[in-house]
Amino acid sequence: MKTSLTWIKDLVPGIKDVSVQEYTDRMIMSGSKVEFCTDLAKDIDKIVVGQIKEIAPHPDADKLIVCQVDVGSETIQIVTGANNVHEGDKVPVVLDGGKVAGGHDGSLTEGGIKIKKGKLRGVESFGMMCSIEELGSTRDMFPEAPEDGIYIFPEDTEIGADAIKLFGLDDVVVEYEITSNRVDCFAVLGIAREAAATFGKEFVPPEVPETGNSEDVNSMISVEIKDTDLCKRYTGRIVKNIKIAESPEWMKKRLRSHGIRPINNMVDITNYVMIEYGQPMHAYDLSKIAGNKIVVKRAANGDKFVTLDGQERTLDETVLMICDGEKPVGIAGIMGGENTMITDDVTTMLFEAACFDGANIRKSSKKIGLRTDASSIFEKGLDPNNAIEAMNRACALVEELGAGEVVGGVCDVYPVKKEEITLPFEPEKYNKILGTDLSEDQMLSYFGPLEIKYDAAKRELIIPTFRQDLLSYADIAEEVARFYGYDKIPMTLPKGSSVKGGISKKMKLERIAREVSEFNGFSQMMTYSFESPKVYDKLLMKPDDAITISNPLGEDFSIMRTISLNGMLTSLSTNANRRNKDVRLYELGNIYVPKAIPLTELPDEREQFTLGMYGEGADFFTMKGVVNDFLLKAGLLDNGKKAVYTPEMAEDERPYLHPGRKANILFEGELIGFIGEVHPRVLSNYGIKQSTVIAVLDMPEVLKFSEDAGTKKYNGFSNFPASTRDISMVVPKDVLAGQIEDIFDKKGGAYLERYELFDLYEGSQITAGFKSMAYSLVFRAKDRNLADTDVNEAMDRILKALEGTGVKLRA
């Protein structure tokens, strides 16, 4: 929505001296968001009306002439190449030091072009005469301007007058972002009303006198609405003895400021009222209205209709039409018909101002492929009471401009009148919701300029019908807030039993997953939940019971994923193909496990925490450390509890993982995830040429144990020294590190603080079927120095237990 700032100030005289910056700042703070402002004169300066007194040929150039131009205060010499000027012409003149906007071709220069006195082929020139393009406008807005030459003013134009003001360029156009619930603000009057309330000044709408002769329009035209669900109101008035002419300059200036080209007085009046009142209007040649009757009804399927733009439109039964006694004459709210168009020969016309169903206008506009300024306004849903006000304003302008004779009365069909609604005046509620302490009088002072009336006896607010957004006490509180000032409302904490704050346990667990991953160098990724059935072949899996999408984007997105690995491996493959080294990725995303196929109920949506990596340091044990870090932070490994990594699984279980380099992750006997290197054939299917490790944790299972973890307890550091024992062993290959560490935990006693594997070797120096493992064990007491006997007793228990597994100490 655009408005001329000058026009707004005419409607709110109290803000005449308000600067552009103050206006935009205050309007934004009161809820009318200003997108930007355009100063029409920003690139032009020192341009006056001059009259050419004498023209002489240039002594040294055939295509140049030397003009003596009276600019009011003096006569100056100007050299020009224009060939459309004559002695006595009045033209726009840029004085020495002034600026023009651009060239004759209409190209604009940011900041304007500065004009300085100088010599053209040896003859001094003290200014420049301008074309309409050099004033920053176009021939679309000023059709009387020559196509390629200097603009010529009318003969009665005052010499020396400010040309910028004469052209209406001494104005600022303000563009607003208006939300769809504020239909009243898609009009100059609506914005002016907001400005009056914002600045606390009086709103002075245009006076609309009664119009019309002694005749009765109802004797000349009748209106019938057959589809009252699509047309809430239809008003019509007749103007006869039409006199087509130019509009006055003040009207043309206002239309131009809104980007509308002046055409003639009758067309300009309808455009002017549409801008001012936000009510589109249409005019028909009454002599072409068969039977002097208007019928508003739906079209029939397959109907054809030629609109004003000469295009034939195909209609259906959802499109609302304006018809006469024999034929359609217009598509309601969109465009009139070629068969009743206004020509220069018109003598009597019918003015239409109506209110149509906004949703239907929107759908009809899209169906027939025609969107107009009128349809874009109608589709927002107008106030039917505004139609008659706009109609009366248009007729008043007809009489004011001497454009015709208005017939008395109005043809008004209004099946169900829209009434004002009332809302209780509840200042205590408004203060409570806003955290303010405003008086009743202060609140009521905001409502006056908005035309919200107050019934003191009933303590009720009477809401005007054009404010379709005010429906409850919260809406009224918002009105109070925006005119009191959002910046003045104090900060308060929310109150109430339901206000607890914080985040859910699930969100806390997700946050821990992100923090641990990113701390360990992983980057988050997101992939589609839609996949191809071919995924199971790539992962060496048997086809799973997956949910088939009824309207897929294509075969590659035709099922809901039941495993999260395809997205991870695809992303790792993309990085590998782009030669990215040392890649670590993680994802928090759902899989969709159906409870039955075909679906009888919603699937089980299970969030999976998926990690994947390749490159330097990407091995099974590094990934295991990341998983343990997550489980520790999630509270599962408190109080001596451990996650168990067990490689025991069926041959066909998790076929996408490398045999012998995969493990299920158990906690307290329940499966919470899995970890392992990706199978070489799977890597080949995804085009990955290096070892890749993945881990997947089922977040609902982790959450179940995380909730039971209880409060974390922290123990202080011991002030006593530690005692360290290293143990080097020859271990059968089928004995896992986890089994050995389980013996340490069970037999190490209370003094065993920690242990660490620091060497693992398999080679020719070790007996076949065995491996060498070396651990460092640290013992410490909290209350005393340990004696050798304390540590030796613990080591004896450990070594005895290890012998039972076939482990031997290395010599």
Side-chain angles (χ1 to χ4, degrees):
M1 173 63 191
K2 295 179 181 179
T3 67
S4 154
L5 186 54
T6 301
W7 196 347
I8 297 296
K9 290 184 175 183
D10 288 343
L11 294 166
V12 189
I15 63 170
K16 283 283 186 187
D17 298 326
V18 171
S19 67
V20 176
Q21 188 65 53
E22 183 182 358
Y23 175 82
T24 57
D25 289 347
R26 294 279 295 274
M27 290 295 282
I28 289 171
M29 289 304 295
S30 67
S32 299
K33 183 183 177 185
V34 176
E35 288 287 283
F36 53 82
C37 299
T38 303
D39 184 351
L40 300 181
K42 69 174 182 176
D43 295 330
I44 54 179
D45 188 29
K46 295 180 70 175
I47 303 177
V48 299
V49 177
Q51 185 174 32
I52 302 173
K53 293 297 186 180
E54 181 184 332
I55 298 178
H58 193 287
D60 197 27
D62 293 339
K63 294 184 178 181
L64 297 178
I65 56 176
V66 181
C67 303
Q68 304 301 318
V69 184
D70 179 5
V71 294
S73 59
E74 59 179 325
T75 298
I76 63 175
Q77 179 172 285
I78 297 176
V79 179
T80 180
N83 56 15
N84 70 314
V85 294
H86 306 86
E87 290 183 357
D89 284 347
K90 294 180 178 178
V91 296
V93 176
V94 187
L95 303 177
D96 179 30
K99 292 190 300 181
V100 293
H104 286 280
D105 59 355
S107 60
L108 299 179
T109 301
E110 186 68 29
I113 301 171
K114 196 163 188 177
I115 304 300
K116 297 180 180 179
K117 64 181 180 180
K119 290 184 179 181
L120 275 74
R121 299 291 295 271
V123 177
E124 285 190 313
S125 182
F126 296 88
M128 187 182 85
M129 293 180 278
C130 305
S131 67
I132 196 64
E133 290 80 9
E134 287 164 332
L135 289 165
S137 191
T138 65
R139 292 185 67 248
D140 285 339
M141 294 295 122
F142 293 86
E144 73 276 12
E147 185 172 351
D148 184 19
I150 304 302
Y151 183 86
I152 309 298
F153 284 110
E155 292 182 5
D156 59 351
T157 306
E158 178 188 352
I159 299 172
D162 186 344
I164 295 174
K165 188 172 291 186
L166 289 175
F167 282 113
L169 299 174
D170 58 331
D171 200 354
V172 174
V173 176
V174 185
E175 183 160 346
Y176 312 83
E177 180 185 313
I178 306 298
T179 53
S180 58
N181 65 324
R182 290 303 307 274
V183 182
D184 58 302
C185 286
F186 287 95
V188 170
L189 292 182
I191 296 294
R193 194 181 290 111
E194 288 289 305
T198 298
F199 288 91
K201 303 297 182 181
E202 184 184 5
F203 169 52
V204 184
E207 292 185 12
V208 182
E210 289 189 15
T211 56
N213 58 21
S214 59
E215 299 176 270
D216 183 6
V217 67
N218 292 286
S219 65
M220 303 172 68
I221 192 77
S222 64
V223 175
E224 179 186 3
I225 302 176
K226 287 192 174 181
D227 293 291
T228 55
D229 58 324
L230 300 184
C231 180
K232 300 174 184 177
R233 188 178 193 179
Y234 189 100
T235 67
R237 295 192 73 175
I238 290 175
V239 179
K240 62 182 188 178
N241 301 324
I242 300 293
K243 299 174 184 176
I244 301 295
E246 276 193 36
S247 300
E249 202 58 41
W250 64 265
M251 179 176 282
K252 290 196 286 187
K253 286 180 183 178
R254 287 184 173 178
L255 290 174
R256 289 181 189 126
S257 69
H258 285 75
I260 297 177
R261 177 170 62 94
I263 298 174
N264 60 51
N265 50 6
M266 298 308 297
V267 175
D268 292 350
I269 285 171
T270 59
N271 286 332
Y272 185 88
V273 172
M274 181 174 70
I275 296 169
E276 187 175 45
Y277 279 78
Q279 171 67 53
M281 299 184 67
H282 190 66
Y284 303 94
D285 186 338
L286 187 62
S287 66
K288 299 175 183 178
I289 301 294
N292 282 24
K293 182 176 183 179
I294 292 293
V295 180
V296 185
K297 63 179 182 179
R298 285 179 167 90
N301 272 330
D303 278 357
K304 307 287 185 182
F305 183 70
V306 179
T307 46
L308 281 171
D309 57 3
Q311 299 294 314
E312 185 178 72
R313 314 284 176 177
T314 302
L315 314 173
D316 64 22
E317 77 282 355
T318 65
V319 180
L320 188 67
M321 301 297 294
I322 308 297
C323 307
D324 62 15
E326 299 174 354
K327 62 187 180 299
V329 296
I331 304 177
I334 301 176
M335 186 177 280
E338 193 177 54
N339 54 6
T340 55
M341 67 185 297
I342 300 296
T343 64
D344 291 342
D345 300 327
V346 67
T347 58
T348 307
M349 70 171 56
L350 169 67
F351 263 146
E352 166 195 283
C355 183
F356 304 111
D357 179 72
N360 177 260
I361 296 297
R362 169 74 170 168
K363 291 176 183 176
S364 299
S365 177
K366 290 176 73 69
K367 279 184 180 178
I368 67 175
L370 178 61
R371 196 162 190 259
T372 60
D373 290 341
S375 69
S376 66
I377 295 175
F378 273 121
E379 68 189 26
K380 293 174 174 64
L382 302 185
D383 172 20
N385 292 329
N386 192 44
I388 192 63
E389 294 179 12
M391 173 65 77
N392 292 336
R393 172 63 166 162
C395 290
L397 288 170
V398 168
E399 291 192 351
E400 182 181 338
L401 272 55
E405 181 183 353
V406 178
V407 174
V410 60
C411 187
D412 186 3
V413 181
Y414 197 176
V416 180
K417 185 178 180 182
K418 184 174 183 178
E419 302 288 351
E420 296 173 329
I421 67 168
T422 60
L423 293 174
F425 180 51
E426 303 171 297
E428 298 83 6
K429 264 191 177 182
Y430 311 149
N431 277 324
K432 185 175 181 181
I433 196 173
L434 298 175
T436 55
D437 188 22
L438 303 179
S439 67
E440 293 187 10
D441 290 341
Q442 190 171 357
M443 292 183 186
L444 291 172
S445 69
Y446 302 141
F447 300 146
L450 299 173
E451 299 183 28
I452 299 173
K453 301 172 186 174
Y454 177 54
D455 186 334
K458 296 181 180 179
R459 287 185 66 78
E460 288 182 340
L461 298 172
I462 303 169
I463 311 301
T465 54
F466 62 77
R467 287 303 302 271
Q468 302 178 48
D469 59 311
L470 301 183
L471 301 172
S472 69
Y473 83 91
D475 299 323
I476 300 298
E478 183 183 5
E479 297 300 290
V480 173
R482 65 195 189 97
F483 292 113
Y484 170 64
Y486 291 120
D487 55 325
K488 298 178 185 176
I489 296 176
M491 291 185 292
T492 56
L493 291 174
K495 298 178 181 178
S497 58
S498 62
V499 181
K500 295 181 179 178
I503 60 175
S504 67
K505 292 179 179 178
K506 177 177 178 291
M507 294 172 70
K508 287 179 181 177
L509 190 62
E510 290 171 346
R511 185 168 64 184
I512 290 170
R514 282 190 287 268
E515 289 176 350
V516 169
S517 301
E518 290 163 13
F519 178 79
N520 284 283
F522 288 76
S523 298
Q524 187 170 13
M525 53 169 262
M526 295 180 69
T527 58
Y528 288 116
S529 297
F530 308 145
E531 290 187 334
S532 167
K534 298 175 184 177
V535 163
Y536 298 112
D537 292 335
K538 294 177 74 174
L539 293 173
L540 311 180
M541 294 173 63
K542 295 178 181 178
D544 209 343
D545 288 333
I547 301 167
T548 302
I549 300 169
S550 59
N551 57 339
L553 299 172
E555 185 184 2
D556 289 343
F557 303 95
S558 60
I559 64 170
M560 302 296 290
R561 66 181 177 186
T562 57
I563 187 169
S564 63
L565 290 186
N566 177 63
M568 173 60 69
L569 292 175
T570 300
S571 296
L572 290 172
S573 172
T574 301
N575 279 274
N577 292 335
R578 293 176 180 173
R579 299 181 181 181
N580 290 330
K581 299 179 179 180
D582 308 329
V583 174
R584 298 186 176 198
L585 301 175
Y586 78 95
E587 179 182 27
L588 287 164
N590 288 352
I591 60 171
Y592 303 84
V593 182
K595 298 174 183 176
I597 294 291
L599 284 179
T600 56
E601 57 181 314
L602 292 174
D604 184 13
E605 296 186 28
R606 303 189 70 82
E607 185 177 35
Q608 306 292 288
F609 177 27
T610 308
L611 299 127
M613 64 179 177
Y614 68 76
E616 185 178 354
D619 56 32
F620 183 96
F621 299 104
T622 301
M623 184 66 83
K624 179 182 175 184
V626 175
V627 172
N628 277 339
D629 194 9
F630 166 65
L631 296 178
L632 177 64
K633 296 291 193 303
L636 274 70
L637 306 187
D638 287 346
N639 303 319
K641 294 181 180 178
K642 292 182 64 176
V644 176
Y645 295 79
T646 171
E648 289 85 10
M649 56 181 78
E651 187 176 343
D652 60 349
E653 186 178 356
R654 311 205 190 284
Y656 37 81
L657 296 180
H658 194 298
R661 300 179 187 176
K662 59 183 178 180
N664 285 326
I665 306 172
L666 306 178
F667 187 80
E668 295 191 352
E670 294 194 30
L671 180 68
I672 62 171
F674 60 88
I675 183 175
E677 288 187 19
V678 180
H679 196 290
R681 283 174 55 196
V682 174
L683 291 177
S684 177
N685 291 339
Y686 282 92
I688 303 174
K689 299 179 180 179
Q690 52 191 311
S691 175
T692 300
V693 185
I694 57 97
V696 178
L697 289 156
D698 188 55
M699 293 294 270
E701 284 296 320
V702 176
L703 182 64
K704 181 171 66 176
F705 295 108
S706 178
E707 290 177 334
D708 297 334
T711 303
K712 292 185 178 181
K713 295 181 179 179
Y714 295 89
N715 297 317
F717 291 105
S718 172
N719 293 324
F720 297 94
S723 180
T724 304
R725 295 287 190 275
D726 291 344
I727 180 172
S728 182
M729 304 165 287
V730 177
V731 182
K733 282 191 175 181
D734 60 352
V735 176
L736 304 176
Q739 293 174 265
I740 293 175
E741 291 174 2
D742 190 46
I743 290 174
F744 292 162
D745 289 329
K746 291 178 180 177
K747 302 299 183 179
Y751 300 134
L752 180 61
E753 185 177 80
R754 66 180 185 274
Y755 48 80
E756 181 181 356
L757 176 68
F758 66 86
D759 183 60
L760 176 64
Y761 173 74
E762 294 181 44
S764 58
Q765 298 180 22
I766 304 297
T767 306
F770 287 83
K771 57 189 174 184
S772 173
M773 300 179 70
Y775 277 90
S776 177
L777 288 77
V778 178
F779 297 86
R780 192 194 309 262
K782 293 182 180 181
D783 55 351
R784 62 185 175 88
N785 288 325
L786 286 177
D788 285 342
T789 54
D790 296 322
V791 177
N792 292 338
E793 288 176 3
M795 290 300 298
D796 289 343
R797 292 193 300 269
I798 290 172
L799 293 173
K800 187 175 182 181
L802 288 172
E803 289 177 3
T805 62
V807 174
K808 297 180 181 178
L809 294 179
R810 286 189 65 180

